[in-house]
Amino acid sequence: MERSDLAVKVGFGIVGGAFSWLVGGLGLAVTVLLFLMVFDYITGLMVAYIKKDLSSRIGIKGLMKKTYIILLIGAVYLIEKSVMHSSGMIGDGITVAYIILEFLSVVENGGNLGVNIGPLKKLIIALKKEGGTDANEESDKR
């Protein structure tokens, strides 16, 4: 096939549409998470470029982690709706937790780019100390 990129896009569109149909729509939380994941990945690439540490292997590892998170959230939504017959509150809660992690990673990437992140820097330091590790490891490793 000459236009393999088109086949990939159509494939992702079909899978995304099927997933959305299965869980009754993606909802705002999942949409926000997806956008923040894209922002995090792009800002991570920017940091890696500036630090001259750009690596396709590390970038693909980051994409795999983000893909796993989306699959995990999808599984939670499916189990919650099919077994518990609930409205998706648990899935939304997990999604919001990942939204916070992605947002912190985007802010941290901004700091690594030299942007003054002001009071958010104290929040990131406090969360790192409390959690014991980086809020979102792949952002430092792109």
Side-chain angles (χ1 to χ4, degrees):
M1 175 178 247
E2 202 167 79
R3 292 276 329 252
S4 60
D5 63 323
L6 181 61
V8 170
K9 290 175 185 176
V10 169
F12 276 113
I14 290 170
V15 170
F19 174 76
S20 179
W21 175 75
L22 283 171
V23 299
L26 289 176
L28 182 60
V30 174
T31 304
V32 169
L33 177 62
L34 290 172
F35 277 107
L36 281 173
M37 285 180 159
V38 170
F39 294 155
D40 179 45
Y41 192 77
I42 291 170
T43 58
L45 288 173
M46 293 165 65
V47 169
Y49 179 79
I50 295 223
K51 291 184 173 185
K52 298 184 189 314
D53 192 28
L54 202 56
S55 166
S56 59
R57 185 170 178 82
I58 293 170
I60 289 172
K61 182 179 177 185
L63 285 176
M64 293 293 181
K65 286 181 179 182
K66 292 183 184 314
T67 301
Y68 172 79
I69 290 168
I70 295 302
L71 292 172
L72 177 66
I73 289 171
V76 169
Y77 274 112
L78 288 172
I79 291 169
E80 184 179 7
K81 288 190 176 251
S82 64
V83 175
M84 302 171 71
H85 303 291
S86 71
S87 63
M89 288 182 62
I90 296 170
D92 285 345
I94 293 169
T95 304
V96 169
Y98 279 110
I99 286 171
I100 292 167
L101 291 174
E102 291 294 327
F103 176 74
L104 289 175
S105 183
V106 168
V107 171
E108 190 172 22
N109 286 341
N112 288 333
L113 288 169
V115 176
N116 182 4
I117 56 175
L120 291 174
K121 187 172 186 173
K122 291 178 183 177
L123 174 65
I124 290 171
I125 291 169
L127 288 172
K128 279 185 176 182
K129 285 182 183 176
E130 188 174 308
T133 60
D134 188 5
N136 201 349
E137 290 178 29
E138 71 263 11
S139 68
D140 288 339
K141 297 181 181 176
R142 273 191 215 85

PDB file of all heavy atoms in Angstrom, residues 4-5 22 25 27 35 38 45 53 61-62 67 69-70 74-75 95 107 126:
ATOM      1  N   SER A   4       0.564   4.171   3.446  1.00  0.00           N
ATOM      2  CA  SER A   4       0.459   3.416   4.692  1.00  0.00           C
ATOM      3  C   SER A   4       0.006   4.310   5.848  1.00  0.00           C
ATOM      4  O   SER A   4      -0.652   3.841   6.770  1.00  0.00           O
ATOM      5  CB  SER A   4       1.779   2.737   5.023  1.00  0.00           C
ATOM      6  OG  SER A   4       2.800   3.695   5.181  1.00  0.00           O
ATOM      7  N   ASP A   5       0.348   5.602   5.804  1.00  0.00           N
ATOM      8  CA  ASP A   5      -0.092   6.502   6.859  1.00  0.00           C
ATOM      9  C   ASP A   5      -1.615   6.613   6.903  1.00  0.00           C
ATOM     10  O   ASP A   5      -2.215   6.683   7.969  1.00  0.00           O
ATOM     11  CB  ASP A   5       0.537   7.886   6.714  1.00  0.00           C
ATOM     12  CG  ASP A   5       0.136   8.590   5.420  1.00  0.00           C
ATOM     13  OD1 ASP A   5       0.000   7.907   4.389  1.00  0.00           O
ATOM     14  OD2 ASP A   5      -0.042   9.824   5.461  1.00  0.00           O
ATOM     15  N   LEU A  22     -18.312   1.183  22.696  1.00  0.00           N
ATOM     16  CA  LEU A  22     -18.387   0.194  23.771  1.00  0.00           C
ATOM     17  C   LEU A  22     -18.605   0.828  25.139  1.00  0.00           C
ATOM     18  O   LEU A  22     -19.350   0.295  25.960  1.00  0.00           O
ATOM     19  CB  LEU A  22     -17.114  -0.666  23.802  1.00  0.00           C
ATOM     20  CG  LEU A  22     -17.000  -1.738  22.749  1.00  0.00           C
ATOM     21  CD1 LEU A  22     -15.601  -2.360  22.775  1.00  0.00           C
ATOM     22  CD2 LEU A  22     -18.048  -2.822  22.962  1.00  0.00           C
ATOM     23  N   GLY A  25     -19.229   6.484  24.852  1.00  0.00           N
ATOM     24  CA  GLY A  25     -18.651   7.816  24.647  1.00  0.00           C
ATOM     25  C   GLY A  25     -17.410   7.998  25.491  1.00  0.00           C
ATOM     26  O   GLY A  25     -17.281   7.422  26.559  1.00  0.00           O
ATOM     27  N   GLY A  27     -16.197  10.833  26.871  1.00  0.00           N
ATOM     28  CA  GLY A  27     -16.366  11.723  28.007  1.00  0.00           C
ATOM     29  C   GLY A  27     -15.283  12.778  28.068  1.00  0.00           C
ATOM     30  O   GLY A  27     -14.231  12.666  27.439  1.00  0.00           O
ATOM     31  N   PHE A  35      -5.524  14.918  25.309  1.00  0.00           N
ATOM     32  CA  PHE A  35      -4.870  16.167  24.914  1.00  0.00           C
ATOM     33  C   PHE A  35      -3.631  16.429  25.765  1.00  0.00           C
ATOM     34  O   PHE A  35      -2.583  16.821  25.246  1.00  0.00           O
ATOM     35  CB  PHE A  35      -5.842  17.348  24.991  1.00  0.00           C
ATOM     36  CG  PHE A  35      -6.707  17.476  23.780  1.00  0.00           C
ATOM     37  CD1 PHE A  35      -8.046  17.143  23.845  1.00  0.00           C
ATOM     38  CD2 PHE A  35      -6.189  17.918  22.576  1.00  0.00           C
ATOM     39  CE1 PHE A  35      -8.858  17.245  22.723  1.00  0.00           C
ATOM     40  CE2 PHE A  35      -6.987  18.031  21.442  1.00  0.00           C
ATOM     41  CZ  PHE A  35      -8.325  17.687  21.520  1.00  0.00           C
ATOM     42  N   VAL A  38      -0.763  14.277  24.647  1.00  0.00           N
ATOM     43  CA  VAL A  38      -0.140  14.825  23.440  1.00  0.00           C
ATOM     44  C   VAL A  38       0.753  16.005  23.810  1.00  0.00           C
ATOM     45  O   VAL A  38       1.903  16.105  23.354  1.00  0.00           O
ATOM     46  CB  VAL A  38      -1.198  15.228  22.391  1.00  0.00           C
ATOM     47  CG1 VAL A  38      -0.575  16.023  21.248  1.00  0.00           C
ATOM     48  CG2 VAL A  38      -1.912  13.995  21.865  1.00  0.00           C
ATOM     49  N   LEU A  45       9.526  16.038  23.886  1.00  0.00           N
ATOM     50  CA  LEU A  45      10.397  16.063  22.705  1.00  0.00           C
ATOM     51  C   LEU A  45      11.185  17.376  22.648  1.00  0.00           C
ATOM     52  O   LEU A  45      12.369  17.383  22.286  1.00  0.00           O
ATOM     53  CB  LEU A  45       9.579  15.895  21.431  1.00  0.00           C
ATOM     54  CG  LEU A  45       8.997  14.511  21.159  1.00  0.00           C
ATOM     55  CD1 LEU A  45       8.077  14.555  19.936  1.00  0.00           C
ATOM     56  CD2 LEU A  45      10.095  13.489  20.976  1.00  0.00           C
ATOM     57  N   ASP A  53      19.306  15.169  23.695  1.00  0.00           N
ATOM     58  CA  ASP A  53      19.131  13.806  24.194  1.00  0.00           C
ATOM     59  C   ASP A  53      17.945  13.134  23.500  1.00  0.00           C
ATOM     60  O   ASP A  53      17.254  12.305  24.084  1.00  0.00           O
ATOM     61  CB  ASP A  53      18.912  13.853  25.715  1.00  0.00           C
ATOM     62  CG  ASP A  53      19.013  12.497  26.365  1.00  0.00           C
ATOM     63  OD1 ASP A  53      19.732  11.629  25.823  1.00  0.00           O
ATOM     64  OD2 ASP A  53      18.367  12.287  27.413  1.00  0.00           O
ATOM     65  N   LYS A  61       9.156   4.289  23.867  1.00  0.00           N
ATOM     66  CA  LYS A  61       8.847   3.759  25.202  1.00  0.00           C
ATOM     67  C   LYS A  61       7.798   4.645  25.883  1.00  0.00           C
ATOM     68  O   LYS A  61       6.858   4.140  26.499  1.00  0.00           O
ATOM     69  CB  LYS A  61      10.119   3.690  26.045  1.00  0.00           C
ATOM     70  CG  LYS A  61       9.901   3.110  27.413  1.00  0.00           C
ATOM     71  CD  LYS A  61      11.195   3.040  28.202  1.00  0.00           C
ATOM     72  CE  LYS A  61      10.935   2.533  29.600  1.00  0.00           C
ATOM     73  NZ  LYS A  61      12.154   2.564  30.425  1.00  0.00           N
ATOM     74  N   GLY A  62       7.945   5.964  25.749  1.00  0.00           N
ATOM     75  CA  GLY A  62       6.963   6.883  26.316  1.00  0.00           C
ATOM     76  C   GLY A  62       5.592   6.705  25.690  1.00  0.00           C
ATOM     77  O   GLY A  62       4.576   6.720  26.387  1.00  0.00           O
ATOM     78  N   THR A  67       0.028   4.573  25.813  1.00  0.00           N
ATOM     79  CA  THR A  67      -0.942   3.646  25.222  1.00  0.00           C
ATOM     80  C   THR A  67      -1.465   2.681  26.278  1.00  0.00           C
ATOM     81  O   THR A  67      -2.663   2.407  26.347  1.00  0.00           O
ATOM     82  CB  THR A  67      -0.294   2.869  24.050  1.00  0.00           C
ATOM     83  OG1 THR A  67       0.148   3.805  23.072  1.00  0.00           O
ATOM     84  CG2 THR A  67      -1.275   1.900  23.427  1.00  0.00           C
ATOM     85  N   ILE A  69      -1.703   3.222  29.473  1.00  0.00           N
ATOM     86  CA  ILE A  69      -2.597   3.952  30.374  1.00  0.00           C
ATOM     87  C   ILE A  69      -3.991   4.057  29.762  1.00  0.00           C
ATOM     88  O   ILE A  69      -5.000   3.830  30.444  1.00  0.00           O
ATOM     89  CB  ILE A  69      -2.017   5.344  30.703  1.00  0.00           C
ATOM     90  CG1 ILE A  69      -0.782   5.200  31.583  1.00  0.00           C
ATOM     91  CG2 ILE A  69      -3.068   6.236  31.375  1.00  0.00           C
ATOM     92  CD1 ILE A  69       0.036   6.472  31.735  1.00  0.00           C
ATOM     93  N   ILE A  70      -4.066   4.364  28.470  1.00  0.00           N
ATOM     94  CA  ILE A  70      -5.368   4.463  27.794  1.00  0.00           C
ATOM     95  C   ILE A  70      -6.066   3.102  27.796  1.00  0.00           C
ATOM     96  O   ILE A  70      -7.273   2.999  28.055  1.00  0.00           O
ATOM     97  CB  ILE A  70      -5.196   4.996  26.355  1.00  0.00           C
ATOM     98  CG1 ILE A  70      -4.664   6.429  26.380  1.00  0.00           C
ATOM     99  CG2 ILE A  70      -6.501   4.921  25.574  1.00  0.00           C
ATOM    100  CD1 ILE A  70      -5.524   7.421  27.128  1.00  0.00           C
ATOM    101  N   GLY A  74      -9.553   2.202  29.637  1.00  0.00           N
ATOM    102  CA  GLY A  74     -10.631   1.579  28.874  1.00  0.00           C
ATOM    103  C   GLY A  74     -11.123   0.306  29.525  1.00  0.00           C
ATOM    104  O   GLY A  74     -12.329   0.060  29.604  1.00  0.00           O
ATOM    105  N   ALA A  75     -10.193  -0.509  30.026  1.00  0.00           N
ATOM    106  CA  ALA A  75     -10.577  -1.752  30.709  1.00  0.00           C
ATOM    107  C   ALA A  75     -11.376  -1.448  31.971  1.00  0.00           C
ATOM    108  O   ALA A  75     -12.379  -2.124  32.257  1.00  0.00           O
ATOM    109  CB  ALA A  75      -9.332  -2.570  31.041  1.00  0.00           C
ATOM    110  N   THR A  95      -9.058   8.357  35.636  1.00  0.00           N
ATOM    111  CA  THR A  95      -8.671   9.251  34.544  1.00  0.00           C
ATOM    112  C   THR A  95      -8.211  10.603  35.086  1.00  0.00           C
ATOM    113  O   THR A  95      -7.202  11.147  34.635  1.00  0.00           O
ATOM    114  CB  THR A  95      -9.842   9.439  33.561  1.00  0.00           C
ATOM    115  OG1 THR A  95     -10.257   8.151  33.093  1.00  0.00           O
ATOM    116  CG2 THR A  95      -9.443  10.301  32.378  1.00  0.00           C
ATOM    117  N   VAL A 107       4.071  20.764  33.082  1.00  0.00           N
ATOM    118  CA  VAL A 107       4.634  21.908  33.807  1.00  0.00           C
ATOM    119  C   VAL A 107       6.130  21.687  34.049  1.00  0.00           C
ATOM    120  O   VAL A 107       6.941  22.595  33.862  1.00  0.00           O
ATOM    121  CB  VAL A 107       3.884  22.132  35.145  1.00  0.00           C
ATOM    122  CG1 VAL A 107       4.590  23.173  36.002  1.00  0.00           C
ATOM    123  CG2 VAL A 107       2.443  22.555  34.875  1.00  0.00           C
ATOM    124  N   ALA A 126       7.006  19.187  46.173  1.00  0.00           N
ATOM    125  CA  ALA A 126       6.286  18.537  47.267  1.00  0.00           C
ATOM    126  C   ALA A 126       5.713  17.192  46.831  1.00  0.00           C
ATOM    127  O   ALA A 126       5.791  16.210  47.567  1.00  0.00           O
ATOM    128  CB  ALA A 126       5.166  19.452  47.775  1.00  0.00           C
TER     129      ALA A 126
END
